[in-house]
Amino acid sequence: MANFSKISVANDARTELHDKLNLTGAEISVNNLPAGAGVPFVHYHKKNEEIYFITAGKGTAVIDGQTVELSADDWLRIAPAARRQFAASANEGISYICIQVRENSLEEYTADDAGIEQ
């Protein structure tokens, strides 16, 4: 078995990568909301923080009742317990990647975890 997985992702509303890439340490999704659309529910997590990267467009996140404006190239980290809901702007869609990992689980950074071949 190869030590890597590679896929291409269509412009679907939501693509979850855990099964497609056999992820074992993170949950990652690719999300696309058309103009005026929003996620129809508020959610939170028990253990996982979420990191969002806005790849295109504009929209908002309502986090614990506070509205945060979002646009391309923004990064956003949300603690597990925070209540959150996302929406595209009225006249422009939004695309984003969501990375979900267990809060406080990062034990080693790249410099400490990497091995260098000579």
Side-chain angles (χ1 to χ4, degrees), residues 3-115:
N3 285 329
F4 66 91
S5 300
K6 179 185 181 283
I7 63 165
S8 292
V9 176
N11 247 1
D12 295 336
R14 180 176 171 89
T15 303
E16 294 181 358
L17 300 181
H18 63 273
D19 288 337
K20 295 180 182 296
L21 291 173
N22 299 315
L23 301 178
T24 64
E27 170 65 44
I28 302 173
S29 63
V30 180
N31 303 269
N32 299 289
L33 294 172
V39 175
F41 55 86
V42 175
H43 80 283
Y44 67 95
H45 291 277
K46 297 173 186 172
K47 298 178 182 179
N48 293 341
E49 66 187 2
E50 288 182 322
I51 302 100
Y52 291 87
F53 174 55
I54 311 307
T55 59
K58 292 183 180 180
T60 58
V62 178
I63 306 166
D64 290 338
Q66 180 179 348
T67 300
V68 178
E69 298 291 327
L70 300 170
S71 60
D73 298 326
D74 285 347
W75 285 89
L76 176 68
R77 183 258 181 195
I78 303 177
R83 274 47 179 177
R84 70 212 66 178
Q85 187 174 25
F86 288 80
S89 69
N91 57 0
E92 186 174 353
I94 189 169
S95 297
Y96 56 92
I97 296 169
C98 178
I99 304 165
Q100 197 181 126
V101 295
R102 184 160 301 202
E103 186 178 43
N104 298 314
S105 67
L106 184 60
E107 295 178 1
E108 297 177 300
Y109 297 84
T110 301
D112 295 329
D113 184 53

